[in-house]
């Protein structure tokens, strides 16, 4: 059996196990999505600072790009505080015309959202050297009334206020949404799964060699228990704005 097939088998077994666990432990999360767009569970990961202390959601700066890796050690995601409450229950469609429902914002002001930072067109993504995709707050690179996620590689633009749906460009579907649970008792955030057109397996297969250089042998391993949050300016040495 090839290494690639073996990797896919391990991911499938892990997916089944985590699906069963989430169904038992988090039925309220599974109930938030439509029949054809259920949350794909990847296990719980608490969002933490580099020193491993839990991230306080109230300390996120609106408009700043934050990055965390989920559900694999090398698959980057955006964490954004959009600065105002974000409407829940937005119905979206994948490139395969499957519908799913985005949960909207979470956190103390319902303004915090998370999306896969892998562009749905050609899988452009932030890496330690450079990021060609990022959130642009209202102003010079975005409309005056709202920010956008802009992939400068092929000029795809996504709307983070509506589930990262495509506003313009060649992207065939929204960015996959990362499902977060907010605990208002300690203001922590926990990633529990994803909705929409997830591309994680394709991403790991396509960029595996380079990812293994940046992340070592753990690049295709699931994030376990917690995941570190960094500002994009610390995650990538160079941010390309278009």
């Amino acid at each position: 059996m090839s290494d690639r097939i073996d990797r896919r088998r391990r991911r499938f077994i892990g997916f089944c196990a985590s699906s069963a666990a989430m169904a038992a432990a988090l039925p309220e999360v599974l109930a938030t999505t439509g029949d054809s767009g259920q949350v794909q569970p990847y296990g719980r990961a608490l969002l933490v600072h580099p020193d491993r202390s839990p991230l306080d959601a109230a300390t996120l700066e609106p408009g700043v790009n934050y990055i965390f890796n989920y559900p694999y050690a090398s698959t980057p995601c955006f964490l954004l505080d959009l600065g105002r409450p974000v409407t829940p229950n937005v119905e979206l469609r994948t490139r395969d015309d499957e519908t799913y429902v985005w949960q909207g914002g979470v956190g103390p002001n319902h303004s915090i959202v998370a999306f896969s930072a892998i562009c749905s067109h050609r899988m452009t993504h932030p890496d330690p050297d450079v990021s060609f995709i990022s959130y642009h707050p209202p102003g010079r690179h975005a409309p005056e009334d709202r920010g956008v996620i802009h992939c400068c590689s092929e000029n795809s633009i996504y709307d983070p206020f509506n589930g990262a749906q495509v506003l313009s460009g060649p992207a065939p579907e929204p960015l996959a949404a990362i499902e977060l649970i907010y605990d208002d008792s300690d203001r922590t955030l926990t990633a529990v799964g994803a909705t929409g057109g997830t591309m994680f397996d394709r991403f790991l297969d396509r960029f595996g060699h380079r990812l293994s250089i940046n992340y070592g042998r753990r690049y295709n391993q699931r994030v376990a228990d917690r995941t570190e949050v960094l500002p994009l300016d610390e995650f990538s040495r160079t941010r390309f704005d278009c």
Side-chain angles (χ1 to χ4, degrees):
M1 179 181 296
S2 70
D3 289 342
R4 178 175 295 183
I5 294 174
D6 189 48
R7 287 200 305 271
R8 288 177 173 170
R9 170 176 284 184
R10 290 198 301 271
R11 292 173 201 156
F12 177 74
I13 292 172
F15 175 84
C16 292
S18 58
S19 297
M22 178 174 278
L26 300 170
E28 72 281 4
V29 175
L30 294 180
T32 64
T33 58
D35 290 341
S36 62
Q38 284 191 339
V39 175
Q40 301 177 56
Y42 289 99
R44 299 175 66 103
L46 179 70
L47 274 57
V48 300
H49 293 289
D51 65 3
R52 310 294 282 176
S53 63
L55 176 75
D56 183 340
T59 66
L60 294 174
E61 295 184 41
V64 172
N65 282 261
Y66 295 94
I67 298 289
F68 65 98
N69 287 326
Y70 183 85
Y72 295 94
S74 62
T75 49
C77 303
F78 291 120
L79 177 68
L80 306 170
D81 187 335
L82 298 177
R84 59 181 172 85
V86 182
T87 303
N89 301 323
V90 176
E91 185 173 295
L92 300 166
R93 291 183 179 274
T94 68
R95 73 182 74 200
D96 296 323
D97 206 32
E98 293 184 349
T99 60
Y100 64 100
V101 177
W102 178 61
Q103 69 172 358
V106 301
N109 299 313
H110 301 281
S111 59
I112 297 172
V113 299
F115 302 103
S116 170
I118 301 169
C119 181
S120 66
H121 181 222
R122 292 189 174 179
M123 294 190 283
T124 297
H125 58 279
D127 69 22
D129 291 322
V130 63
S131 177
F132 287 92
I133 182 172
S134 63
Y135 172 69
H136 295 173
R140 183 166 64 92
H141 295 289
E144 292 297 327
D145 62 336
R146 63 198 299 140
V148 297
I149 296 172
H150 196 158
C151 178
C152 298
S153 292
E154 303 289 338
N155 209 31
S156 291
I157 299 177
Y158 304 89
D159 183 358
F161 291 86
N162 285 289
Q165 69 178 339
V166 180
L167 294 176
S168 63
E173 63 185 345
L175 299 175
I178 305 301
E179 296 288 319
L180 298 175
I181 292 179
Y182 172 66
D183 187 336
D184 59 8
S185 67
D186 56 10
R187 300 189 302 197
T188 56
L189 295 165
T190 302
V192 296
T195 53
T198 58
M199 306 172 68
F200 305 127
D201 284 349
R202 288 174 54 201
F203 177 81
L204 294 173
D205 286 341
R206 178 173 176 179
F207 298 106
H209 177 69
R210 179 165 55 79
L211 295 171
S212 67
I213 294 173
N214 290 331
Y215 294 93
R217 299 174 68 178
R218 65 186 183 93
Y219 81 92
N220 61 353
Q221 295 178 6
R222 290 280 185 88
V223 171
D225 300 326
R226 56 190 61 202
T227 182
E228 182 178 300
V229 178
L230 286 173
L232 177 60
D233 291 342
E234 296 180 23
F235 181 86
S236 297
R237 284 184 283 273
T238 302
R239 173 183 165 184
F240 188 87
D241 283 331
C242 47

